[in-house]
Amino acid sequence: MKRLHSTILSLVMVVSVFSPSIIAQQTTDAGNDTPAVRRAIELGKVISMGNRAEAKKYVAENYAPSFLKVPVATHLDFIAKLYDWSRGLEFHSVKVSKPNETGVFFKNKLAGWTIIYVRVEPDAPNRITGIGLDEPQAPATARLTKKLSDEEIAKELDSYLQKLVAADLFSGTVLIAKDGKPIYRKAFGIANKDFNVANRIDTKFNLGSMNKMFTSVAIAQLVERGKLSFDDPLSKFLPEFPDKESAQKIKIKHLLSHTSGLGSYFNKKFFESSRENFRTVDEMMKLAEGEKLQFEPGTKWSYSNTGMLVLGKVIEVASGQSYFDYIRENIYKPAGMVNSDCYELDKVNTNLAVGYEKQYTEAGIQFTNNIFKHVMRGGPAGGGYSTVDDLLNFAVALRAGKLVGQEYVKTLLTAKPELNSKDYGYGFDIEHEPSIVGHGGGFPGISSNLDMFLSSGYNAAVMSNYGLAAIHVKNKIRELITVGQTPQSASR
């Protein structure tokens, strides 16, 4: 859960990251009556009021001075967002409890469940020093127990989605397939609010980080074809990046598993530059110039956009093609992905959804688009476009061994604890219990996810042009499909 937690925090600009130890603990009934639990319940009541003035008063009186260094408007936006997602919270139980920290389950009146983490001062009056969110999922005592038929899954999901859409919390497309055949496939909401154009099932949505799957499969293809090895040092392809010594230490497998020690090229230079300057892999690589290793390769896990970008350049060197041509010919074409590409957004592209975020103001909710926030063109680390049908075609082709042989499919979809990557394979997130692999993508106005359920024939794709909107839907689908199986971990 740590990576999703960080994504949520960055999008709502709450500056509190909890230690992995508290997030990893299991539900407990011990220590329920603590200052942290009482503050969490208080906060739930404040959120449920849906009143910005009351929230402002609570923040001023009950947040610690250190936490008030964050602008009050940011705190109020966070509270408003949680109210919008829930339309009211009811305390259910304590998930985790530690001295001065807690995680609490709330039943929300709209979208199922909300898990809020609260940290407080050790001494009275125990003001709040940090707030965080966990991925929305039900406590063990509230989960479904009876396995559902495909018809029941579709009916339950549709009922859930209709509630979200009526509350204007979801806009996008959703598809569930069993053995390659859709059992649920629908579009909701608006692709372009300026012209009131509705989303269609073939509307193309931004993938966010989901391009990392395509990049990683491409690397596996080149390994299979003898063009490179997972154990090759980066120096074989880029002898000077990020510097000679580091290029010799970093191996291809480190880049694939986010254990290279590299960071993110979405840096100050990117945000201060014109997006139109970054269309090719080489132009994107300029943003990463001067990066230094954060740790020795293979010793830690840290999500790295730069690492995946570098793999795009490795593909170009090893194949002799541009990254974009290689992916079109070797991933999209054999998988039957006819509506996927890294489109240049200042050119004419048909049927692309515009990304939107809600702004919570004194005058109410207003929408802004992400046109000037995101990339001009996607690349190896993310930012391309696709459809739920194309994502299903990709999942089916990959699992059937049509993109790489089954030996390499297993390699891609298996965690790499030997590299300190216990919940990530090569370009794919790994949920162990039950076994679910895939990838998500998120940014303001972008929220997408692909899940492949390895213990069954299910695949599920969710694509939305509302930020964070796919997360609730993804978890609802997981709940419906995995009834009776061990709940998925929340390690990230």
Side-chain angles (χ1 to χ4, degrees):
M1 210 343 269
K2 293 187 288 297
R3 180 155 60 83
L4 173 61
H5 179 60
S6 299
T7 301
I8 290 176
L9 291 178
S10 66
L11 287 175
V12 296
M13 298 180 67
V14 173
V15 289
S16 172
V17 178
F18 283 82
S19 63
S21 60
I22 184 169
I23 292 176
Q25 290 186 50
Q26 301 300 312
T27 304
T28 176
D29 292 326
N32 285 0
D33 187 21
T34 68
V37 171
R38 290 195 292 271
R39 285 295 192 187
I41 294 172
E42 272 181 16
L43 183 61
K45 292 178 179 178
V46 172
I47 291 167
S48 300
M49 291 179 186
N51 185 308
R52 198 172 182 91
E54 289 295 326
K56 185 175 183 179
K57 180 180 178 183
Y58 182 82
V59 167
E61 295 176 354
N62 298 284
Y63 282 22
S66 59
F67 204 29
L68 288 174
K69 291 179 181 178
V70 177
V72 171
T74 301
H75 289 301
L76 298 182
D77 288 348
F78 178 78
I79 291 171
K81 197 173 193 75
L82 284 183
Y83 174 76
D84 191 32
W85 286 354
S86 67
R87 308 304 160 95
L89 299 172
E90 297 175 357
F91 171 74
H92 181 272
S93 58
V94 175
K95 182 183 182 187
V96 292
S97 184
K98 292 181 67 177
N100 311 316
E101 296 181 352
T102 190
V104 172
F105 283 107
F106 289 95
K107 182 75 173 70
N108 77 58
K109 296 179 181 179
L110 185 67
W113 296 90
T114 300
I115 304 170
I116 299 178
Y117 290 90
V118 172
R119 181 190 295 125
V120 300
E121 296 171 322
D123 301 316
N126 306 110
R127 291 169 296 187
I128 295 173
T129 61
I131 302 169
L133 296 177
D134 204 340
E135 195 161 328
Q137 55 182 275
T141 56
R143 293 187 181 114
L144 298 171
T145 57
K146 178 186 174 183
K147 184 173 177 59
L148 303 179
S149 68
D150 290 348
E151 294 76 13
E152 288 171 326
I153 290 172
K155 183 178 179 180
E156 288 286 332
L157 178 59
D158 192 62
S159 175
Y160 178 78
L161 280 164
Q162 295 296 344
K163 292 179 182 177
L164 294 185
V165 172
D168 204 10
L169 289 175
F170 184 79
S171 172
T173 51
V174 182
L175 183 150
I176 303 178
K178 177 69 179 297
D179 298 327
K181 297 180 180 179
I183 65 170
Y184 187 88
R185 180 174 174 268
K186 281 192 177 183
F188 305 90
I190 303 297
N192 187 308
K193 292 182 181 293
D194 289 338
F195 298 99
N196 199 33
V197 176
N199 283 317
R200 308 186 323 216
I201 198 66
D202 64 344
T203 297
K204 302 165 191 172
F205 293 86
N206 200 299
L207 289 160
S209 287
M210 295 173 71
N211 285 83
K212 291 178 173 68
M213 295 185 292
F214 311 147
T215 298
S216 300
V217 174
I219 289 290
Q221 288 177 340
L222 293 169
V223 172
E224 189 175 43
R225 297 167 188 175
K227 299 290 187 179
L228 55 83
S229 164
F230 293 127
D231 287 310
D232 278 343
L234 179 58
S235 58
K236 181 176 178 179
F237 307 94
L238 298 175
E240 303 290 337
F241 184 86
D243 55 71
K244 286 185 178 180
E245 182 181 357
S246 298
Q248 293 170 357
K249 293 179 180 179
I250 298 171
K251 295 184 178 181
I252 300 300
K253 62 185 179 182
H254 296 140
L255 298 166
L256 288 164
S257 58
H258 296 294
T259 59
S260 67
L262 294 171
S264 177
Y265 64 96
F266 294 114
N267 49 30
K268 182 179 180 182
K269 183 178 180 180
F270 170 78
F271 287 108
E272 292 180 350
S273 301
S274 172
R275 306 295 194 266
E276 67 178 351
N277 294 329
F278 309 112
R279 300 173 188 265
T280 68
V281 171
D282 283 340
E283 288 169 347
M284 297 173 196
M285 287 285 292
K286 291 179 182 178
L287 292 166
E289 290 177 352
E291 272 202 31
K292 302 296 183 184
L293 292 185
Q294 301 170 3
F295 51 83
E296 287 295 305
T299 63
K300 293 182 181 179
W301 189 94
S302 182
Y303 194 74
S304 173
N305 283 308
T306 297
M308 284 290 170
L309 172 62
V310 169
L311 286 174
K313 186 59 186 176
V314 170
I315 290 168
E316 293 189 334
V317 174
S319 70
Q321 294 180 273
S322 77
Y323 171 82
F324 306 102
D325 287 342
Y326 183 93
I327 297 298
R328 287 191 202 104
E329 293 178 18
N330 295 274
I331 304 294
Y332 298 153
K333 186 175 180 179
M337 300 170 70
V338 296
N339 286 308
S340 301
D341 209 339
C342 290
Y343 303 106
E344 294 180 75
L345 298 185
D346 59 346
K347 297 182 179 179
V348 176
N349 301 289
T350 59
N351 203 19
L352 267 60
V354 176
Y356 295 98
E357 281 293 326
K358 289 181 177 179
Q359 300 294 315
Y360 301 92
T361 72
E362 300 290 345
I365 293 175
Q366 299 175 353
F367 280 94
T368 60
N369 67 50
N370 67 355
I371 291 173
F372 297 103
K373 295 180 181 178
H374 206 235
V375 295
M376 179 67 71
R377 187 187 197 184
Y385 282 77
S386 190
T387 66
V388 288
D389 286 339
D390 274 11
L391 290 177
L392 172 61
N393 289 343
F394 169 74
V396 170
L398 179 66
R399 295 179 71 173
K402 293 182 178 180
L403 300 180
V404 286
Q406 291 295 348
E407 172 190 351
Y408 291 96
V409 174
K410 183 177 180 181
T411 298
L412 290 165
L413 305 185
T414 302
K416 303 292 182 285
E418 70 277 10
L419 299 175
N420 289 290
S421 182
K422 64 184 180 68
D423 298 307
Y424 201 91
Y426 286 162
F428 290 82
D429 275 311
I430 312 295
E431 296 283 358
H432 297 282
E433 299 175 349
S435 185
I436 305 171
V437 301
H439 215 290
F443 191 80
I446 299 168
S447 186
S448 299
N449 189 75
L450 173 66
D451 274 346
M452 294 177 279
F453 296 77
L454 296 187
S455 58
S456 67
Y458 289 103
N459 295 298
V462 184
M463 306 196 79
S464 179
N465 56 331
Y466 283 6
L468 300 177
I471 296 171
H472 286 283
V473 181
K474 174 196 73 174
N475 280 281
K476 185 64 176 180
I477 292 171
R478 288 184 175 186
E479 177 189 3
L480 295 173
I481 290 178
T482 63
V483 173
Q485 300 182 48
T486 305
Q488 67 266 25
S489 68
S491 58
R492 280 201 308 280

